[in-house]
Amino acid sequence: MIEPIKRDLVFDKTADLNWKLLLKESVTSPEQLRDYLSDEEIEECKKVIERYPMRINPYYLSLIRYKGDPIWKQCIPDINELIDVEGLEDPLCEERDSPCPGLTHRYPDRVLLLISSQCGMYCRFCTRKRKVGTEKLRISMSQILKGIEYIANHPEVRDVVLSGGDPFLLSDRKLEFILTRLRAIPHLEIIRIGTRVPCTMPQRVTPELCNMLKKFHPLFINTHFNHPYEITEESRKACAMLADAGIPLGNQSVLLKGVNDNPAIFTELNQALLTMRVKPYYLFQADYVQGSNHFRTPIEAGLEVISALRGHTSGLAVPHYVIDVPGGGGKIALIPNPVVELTDEHILLSNYQGKTFEYKFPAKEQNGNGKNGNGTHIETPLLEKSAKLPQS
Ligand SMILES: *Cc1c(COP(=O)(O)O)cnc(C)c1O
Ligand code: SF4
């Protein structure tokens, strides 16, 4: 059943909208969705948002083309969120790997720092859905300052990823204060901001924000587009302003059943992102998070997306397909296995068209009689090693 919703009726895209007004006029109660939902669905929605909050700003709402479309599924609460009890509350163990509240130090040289508890839209599949937009994610400035102090005291940290919630939900002034403190740390080389704002509330990207951000280079932004419907005049403008401020832009998508689990969608999305100077960086397997089981796809879906991109279109359009594994193991990349055969003599590899090619190894004698170039004996049988090859 397809019910088109006219974008122009709910959102005048010619108006110069202030993002604070967009936030104020966001849908937060099911009653505001009378035009979209039946009475029964409104009752269900009420139950869902008692547990997981809803916020849909008028811009994002206006992107819905029909009931149940890829925009709808990302923002409208679904009773399945309550039915699903399989996933974990904090699958990535972000809280366990946290030396101080809001900071996760999992990798040797970089940390994740949460600086905002709010987003311009609450995604129904969010990894931190147990917390974002609720009392459970209270982030005070004193907590942020403790996180910054931790970074200052750990010279091995050369990269910080600012996240939340969405860092761009903070005021320019607050964000500038945090960035100034971080930039004062000599060993902190790069600062990254993870924000969905260019996609879900592009009006937040103003000339003032961009002028402020460009004082803190090298600064990177990773945004989060999941579907071509999210690419609009407004989101193009936001990305152009950020790129013009000299900020390299990346994109992190989440593979979502019924939203974008289709190679054609990703080809279109990633090619469009490149035209906006946004480089597809990660494609995430949906996390094992409670309340989003209905979004999870088999691994084959992700591998198919990567196979459809690699070789067929610009290498720039190919993201790393990763699973952020439950238990705090971090992100692990998966690629379609191209190894057809691996022996002492050669490797047979399958290319993007499915044709097989051979690459010959140097003859044994030249290689020091079963020793490799460094003269170290290879203990692991090659075929066993081949199982490890498709990594990276
Ligand atoms: C994703 C993530 C990072 C950054 O990882 P990159 O692979 O460098 O982009 C850092 N810390 C944590 C806890 C993360 O989840
Ligand atoms: S914008 Fe990011 S942090 Fe906010 S709800 Fe969506 S996925 Fe979660």
Side-chain angles (χ1 to χ4, degrees):
M1 180 187 53
I2 289 179
E3 298 170 16
I5 291 163
K6 285 229 172 63
R7 185 166 179 218
D8 297 347
L9 292 183
V10 283
F11 185 70
D12 174 7
K13 63 179 181 165
T14 57
D16 186 14
L17 280 167
N18 181 308
W19 65 279
K20 290 194 171 132
L21 193 66
L22 279 177
L23 271 189
K24 219 172 93 195
E25 299 197 339
S26 291
V27 171
T28 52
S29 117
E31 310 295 347
Q32 294 165 274
L33 291 172
R34 283 251 167 250
D35 293 346
Y36 298 76
L37 302 177
S38 67
D39 289 347
E40 191 194 335
E41 287 167 330
I42 287 185
E43 287 313 307
E44 289 180 353
C45 185
K46 278 185 191 159
K47 285 187 210 143
V48 176
I49 70 170
E50 274 170 29
R51 177 116 182 243
Y52 304 117
M54 163 172 69
R55 173 186 278 163
I56 316 166
N57 74 67
Y59 166 78
Y60 199 78
L61 190 70
S62 81
L63 301 183
I64 293 177
R65 299 189 187 180
Y66 55 87
K67 188 165 183 172
D69 82 357
I71 301 292
W72 176 291
K73 288 200 173 113
Q74 291 186 69
C75 66
I76 307 271
D78 185 322
I79 194 70
N80 279 313
E81 295 174 45
L82 295 181
I83 294 168
D84 161 32
V85 287
E86 236 186 75
L88 306 170
E89 282 222 317
D90 176 19
L92 310 183
C93 292
E94 287 179 333
E95 284 164 17
R96 188 200 62 194
D97 290 349
S98 180
C100 52
L103 184 138
T104 304
H105 193 175
R106 167 166 308 149
Y107 296 108
D109 66 344
R110 56 212 188 278
V111 297
L112 178 76
L113 179 63
L114 307 188
I115 63 169
S116 162
S117 57
Q118 307 267 315
C119 301
M121 184 276 273
Y122 293 126
C123 311
R124 306 322 301 172
F125 52 85
C126 180
T127 296
R128 304 189 191 114
K129 71 184 286 174
R130 73 195 181 283
K131 301 197 297 191
V132 288
T134 74
E135 292 291 298
K136 290 183 208 153
L137 192 64
R138 278 269 188 79
I139 298 174
S140 64
M141 191 46 93
S142 73
Q143 175 181 317
I144 296 171
L145 287 172
K146 280 191 193 117
I148 296 174
E149 195 183 312
Y150 176 91
I151 297 169
N153 291 333
H154 287 77
E156 71 275 22
V157 179
R158 38 164 294 286
D159 176 2
V160 62
V161 179
L162 302 177
S163 183
D166 195 315
F168 281 179
L169 267 278
L170 298 181
S171 65
D172 290 1
R173 201 176 53 85
K174 222 168 171 180
L175 201 52
E176 182 168 13
F177 175 80
I178 294 167
L179 291 169
T180 306
R181 289 294 182 104
L182 286 169
R183 260 293 157 248
I185 302 172
H187 59 261
L188 188 67
E189 294 170 6
I190 67 171
I191 300 174
R192 295 194 254 174
I193 297 176
T195 171
R196 217 186 161 189
V197 148
C199 168
T200 56
M201 201 172 61
Q203 294 78 3
R204 167 67 184 102
V205 180
T206 59
E208 294 75 30
L209 176 71
C210 296
N211 280 331
M212 183 274 283
L213 293 173
K214 70 182 183 198
K215 294 189 285 187
F216 299 97
H217 281 310
L219 177 77
F220 289 67
I221 287 180
N222 269 325
T223 184
H224 176 174
F225 285 82
N226 284 332
H227 194 278
Y229 286 5
E230 294 169 339
I231 297 193
T232 63
E233 232 172 273
E234 293 90 337
S235 58
R236 279 190 180 276
K237 189 173 153 210
C239 292
M241 286 165 72
L242 293 167
D244 286 346
I247 303 168
L249 303 174
N251 187 64
Q252 311 194 154
S253 294
V254 182
L255 191 60
L256 301 166
K257 198 200 276 177
V259 173
N260 60 12
D261 55 337
N262 171 326
I265 289 176
F266 268 101
T267 304
E268 186 184 341
L269 175 68
N270 290 358
Q271 287 173 342
L273 287 171
L274 289 178
T275 69
M276 292 157 67
R277 289 178 279 172
V278 178
K279 159 85 182 86
Y281 176 54
Y282 278 141
L283 169 63
F284 283 101
Q285 174 73 7
D287 283 325
Y288 188 60
V289 59
Q290 203 168 95
S292 62
N293 211 22
H294 55 296
F295 283 117
R296 294 202 289 139
T297 59
I299 289 300
E300 288 74 19
L303 293 174
E304 269 173 33
V305 167
I306 300 302
S307 302
L309 291 169
R310 171 66 66 202
H312 297 276
T313 188
S314 316
L316 283 171
V318 190
H320 302 284
Y321 172 41
V322 296
I323 304 191
D324 212 338
V325 288
K331 299 174 185 72
I332 299 177
L334 292 168
I335 60 163
N337 187 353
V339 180
V340 176
E341 182 182 284
L342 178 61
T343 67
D344 285 355
E345 287 80 40
H346 73 183
I347 185 166
L348 292 182
L349 293 161
S350 174
N351 84 345
Y352 73 101
Q353 299 155 308
K355 294 184 188 154
T356 302
F357 295 84
E358 180 188 30
Y359 175 91
K360 281 200 177 100
F361 299 136
K364 268 255 166 72
E365 297 72 44
Q366 290 171 296
N367 214 2
N369 285 328
K371 309 222 169 179
N372 73 10
N374 298 325
T376 330
H377 188 66
I378 301 170
E379 304 258 335
T380 328
L382 275 172
L383 274 173
E384 208 173 285
K385 280 180 95 179
S386 77
K388 292 181 192 157
L389 272 180
Q391 270 289 333
S392 115

